[in-house]
Amino acid sequence: DIQLTQSPSFLSASVRDRVTITCRASQGINNYLAWYQQKPGKAPKVLIYAASTLQSGVPSRFSGSGSGTEFTLTISSLQPEDFATYYCQQVNSYPQTFGQGTKLEIK
Amino acid sequence: QVQLQESGPGLVKPSETLSLTCTISGGSISSYLWNWIRQPPGKGLEWIGYIYYSGTTNYNPSLKSRVTISTDTSKNQFSLKLGSVTAADTAVYYCARKYGFNWHFDYWGQGILVTVSS
């Protein structure tokens, strides 16, 4: 199985901060990576797919980059509604796996 | 707008079979991959498996010996059966749709908590 390691696991930040979350894959996955946002008691919601494509309806402050084994999710200016847990997912091969999550908290 | 809704028992006894159904509304079961994903309380996400509308399945090897996913196209539903459950199978179970094999999950159900306990 392909292992995905997210860093950091916890992140404390303030509104209007710029934050970056990293996802590293145990082997190359081309650009087959998606990012999800999950709020308590809710299903995950896709933000980015194909490493850098913004899902329709997602604010442009979210962006993704990377290819191969290292990927990043950047939020350019944090808004109050962005405090949540973020997961990366590789869709290159089965079983498709998720990172362990990054919990973004208000400082 | 496609909507997915999980249903089934919220409590299952150890060693028994967990059975859940996902009902699709606002769209057809045809031409997509239909998935089950689970999330133990306070933990991360685990893909369980998918069924293609044609009936082809693919399961996570870690669960393969205990999992069956099936469809009922007449009802626009697909189902999960997980046998020989233990407390480690306690989780929120989600159904979700994928457009293709290397695609992300674009629609999710709200999730259903299933607790394994006597």
Side-chain angles (χ1 to χ4, degrees):
Chain A
D1 299 4
I2 295 175
Q3 308 301 316
L4 297 180
T5 303
Q6 291 181 228
S7 58
S9 294
F10 297 93
L11 181 55
S12 182
S14 302
V15 173
R16 291 184 296 280
D17 280 356
R18 179 185 179 91
V19 299
T20 297
I21 299 168
T22 298
C23 178
R24 289 187 174 86
S26 59
Q27 63 190 76
I29 58 172
N30 299 298
N31 70 333
Y32 290 123
L33 190 99
W35 289 97
Y36 298 85
Q37 176 193 67
Q38 186 178 34
K39 296 183 178 179
K42 300 293 187 182
K45 167 191 163 184
V46 64
L47 303 173
I48 302 282
Y49 62 92
S52 59
T53 302
L54 194 67
Q55 175 75 356
S56 176
V58 173
S60 59
R61 62 181 179 273
F62 292 92
S63 64
S65 66
S67 184
T69 61
E70 187 153 335
F71 302 84
T72 58
L73 173 70
T74 299
I75 310 172
S76 60
S77 178
L78 275 173
Q79 298 302 300
E81 60 269 28
D82 299 337
F83 292 94
T85 300
Y86 293 84
Y87 292 94
C88 57
Q89 178 210 9
Q90 66 83 16
V91 296
N92 181 73
S93 62
Y94 285 87
Q96 296 187 343
T97 48
F98 293 87
Q100 82 278 13
T102 295
K103 187 172 183 180
L104 178 54
E105 298 180 325
I106 301 173
K107 185 182 286 184
Chain B
Q1 177 77 347
V2 173
Q3 292 186 315
L4 306 179
Q5 178 70 58
E6 304 89 351
S7 60
L11 181 65
V12 180
K13 290 182 167 54
S15 80
E16 295 189 345
T17 296
L18 178 160
S19 296
L20 297 175
T21 296
C22 182
T23 301
I24 305 156
S25 58
S28 172
I29 198 168
S30 300
S31 304
Y32 296 100
L33 300 175
W34 302 97
N35 294 259
W36 289 98
I37 298 138
R38 70 181 183 177
Q39 184 172 38
K43 297 189 177 180
L45 298 157
E46 180 181 32
W47 172 74
I48 298 169
Y50 73 66
I51 188 164
Y52 193 42
Y53 77 101
S54 62
T56 301
T57 56
N58 189 357
Y59 302 134
N60 192 321
S62 67
L63 298 167
K64 187 173 183 177
S65 63
R66 299 192 290 133
V67 171
T68 302
I69 300 176
S70 59
T71 59
D72 185 337
T73 55
S74 66
K75 295 182 179 178
N76 231 28
Q77 294 177 334
F78 64 106
S79 298
L80 168 71
K81 290 190 186 299
L82 179 66
S84 304
V85 297
T86 69
D89 295 309
T90 293
V92 174
Y93 285 76
Y94 295 100
C95 57
R97 190 187 84 168
K98 285 166 64 74
Y99 181 77
F101 298 102
N102 298 112
W103 210 248
H104 53 283
F105 301 115
D106 56 358
Y107 289 97
W108 295 67
Q110 64 185 26
I112 183 169
L113 174 63
V114 179
T115 301
V116 178
S117 175
S118 55

